[in-house]
Amino acid sequence: MSVAVRVIPCLDVDAGRVVKGVKFEGLRDAGDPVELAKRYNLAGADELTFLDVTASSSDRETTFDVVRQTAEQVFIPLTVGGGVRTVEDVDRLLRAGADKASINTAAVARPEVISAITDRFGSQVLVLSLDARRSEDPALPSGFEVTTHGGRTGTGIDAIEWAREAAHRGVGEILLNSIDADGTKEGFDLEMIRAVRAAVDVPLIASGGAGAPEDFPPAIAAGADAVLAASIFHFGPVDMIARVKQAIRDAGFAVR
């Protein structure tokens, strides 16, 4: 467990706007990413994560522009993901002002890209975004399946085995997204967090399901080093980050 828990708002960006849905569907507009990033920076966020949820080539330039504008406005670490496929993509994001890059679909398709990126830039710049859902498939011993393409495509890969392999290949941390819990506001998938925590030593960011400040401490108790959320910050009161941090402190955990 790291020294202090990080609280990370997530900006899901589509064509230059922040959007939010439930279980990755039914997206609604949540505002301008640069303005939201500025607000969260002032409100005490420890980091920001940007995910380009459509990541089609037509939106690619928009994303670089938004990253540049955001990096000029905020002074906390910025992780950017969505459509990251190559060493060159990571290089471009870092030059645009990102501190870390997040990779999902491309790493599942070509696991060796993890080592290629971390060999060049170091493990600290690469976050594995692991979108997992529950599965009854007997071929998945953990009961959790890796998905790609924003949770839409099943892979038949066991999520816990994949976390272990990605850590072995050099990812600096794992962003664990529960597809089943995403946007439901019913709390994090604690069983999934515990299972991944037992398999890897790298820092673990829990995502998916936060609906209230009291949802965060159980995720930390389950093994998360950082907690990430979107809806609760975008649509909640402006002091929600402070409320979440207080709930974490009240539960006995150190927070930044």
Side-chain angles (χ1 to χ4, degrees):
M1 177 69 79
S2 58
V3 177
V5 174
R6 293 167 287 148
V7 175
I8 308 173
C10 182
L11 306 176
D12 294 316
V13 180
D14 181 10
R17 297 289 293 177
V18 176
V19 295
K20 188 64 197 124
V22 176
K23 300 187 182 181
F24 288 43
E25 294 178 351
L27 301 180
R28 62 174 169 147
D29 190 277
D32 175 73
V34 181
E35 289 305 312
L36 275 175
K38 266 164 57 176
R39 191 176 102 193
Y40 293 144
N41 183 59
L42 292 170
D46 300 306
E47 295 185 11
L48 280 173
T49 292
F50 253 67
L51 296 177
D52 181 340
V53 291
T54 45
S56 67
S57 53
S58 57
D59 287 339
R60 186 58 42 226
E61 288 309 314
T62 306
T63 302
F64 285 115
D65 287 343
V66 171
V67 170
R68 275 186 210 98
Q69 292 170 43
T70 303
E72 287 166 7
Q73 300 282 352
V74 305
F75 306 99
I76 51 180
L78 178 62
T79 300
V80 182
V84 174
R85 297 180 183 93
T86 64
V87 170
E88 291 71 32
D89 290 338
V90 175
D91 187 53
R92 262 195 95 184
L93 283 173
L94 297 177
R95 287 173 190 273
D99 298 280
K100 296 184 257 189
S102 169
I103 193 166
N104 176 0
T105 302
V108 173
R110 292 186 302 113
E112 62 275 10
V113 77
I114 294 173
S115 314
I117 292 167
T118 57
D119 286 351
R120 171 131 173 224
F121 302 107
S123 289
Q124 76 283 351
V125 307
L126 192 62
V127 179
L128 178 76
S129 185
L130 202 174
D131 295 344
R133 65 184 177 199
R134 288 171 180 271
S135 171
E136 302 292 325
D137 185 344
L140 301 169
S142 73
F144 298 110
E145 180 185 23
V146 176
T147 70
T148 59
H149 300 88
R152 291 186 292 276
T153 307
T155 62
I157 297 168
D158 187 275
I160 309 308
E161 285 306 312
W162 174 229
R164 196 178 277 123
E165 180 182 347
H168 179 72
R169 286 178 180 270
V171 295
E173 55 188 343
I174 293 174
L175 169 56
L176 180 64
N177 306 303
S178 169
I179 300 297
D180 302 310
D182 177 70
T184 62
K185 303 184 184 173
E186 292 171 1
F188 292 90
D189 189 328
L190 304 180
E191 186 187 353
M192 185 189 290
I193 295 167
R194 285 189 203 100
V196 175
R197 172 78 292 154
V200 302
D201 295 327
V202 297
L204 182 59
I205 306 165
S207 168
E214 54 268 25
D215 288 334
F216 290 83
I220 299 158
D225 301 276
V227 281
L228 178 144
S231 306
I232 188 174
F233 297 133
H234 301 340
F235 305 118
V238 290
D239 66 341
M240 185 55 81
I241 290 172
R243 292 188 196 190
V244 167
K245 289 193 169 190
Q246 192 56 52
I248 293 170
R249 276 189 209 99
D250 290 346
F253 298 105
V255 67
R256 294 216 179 151

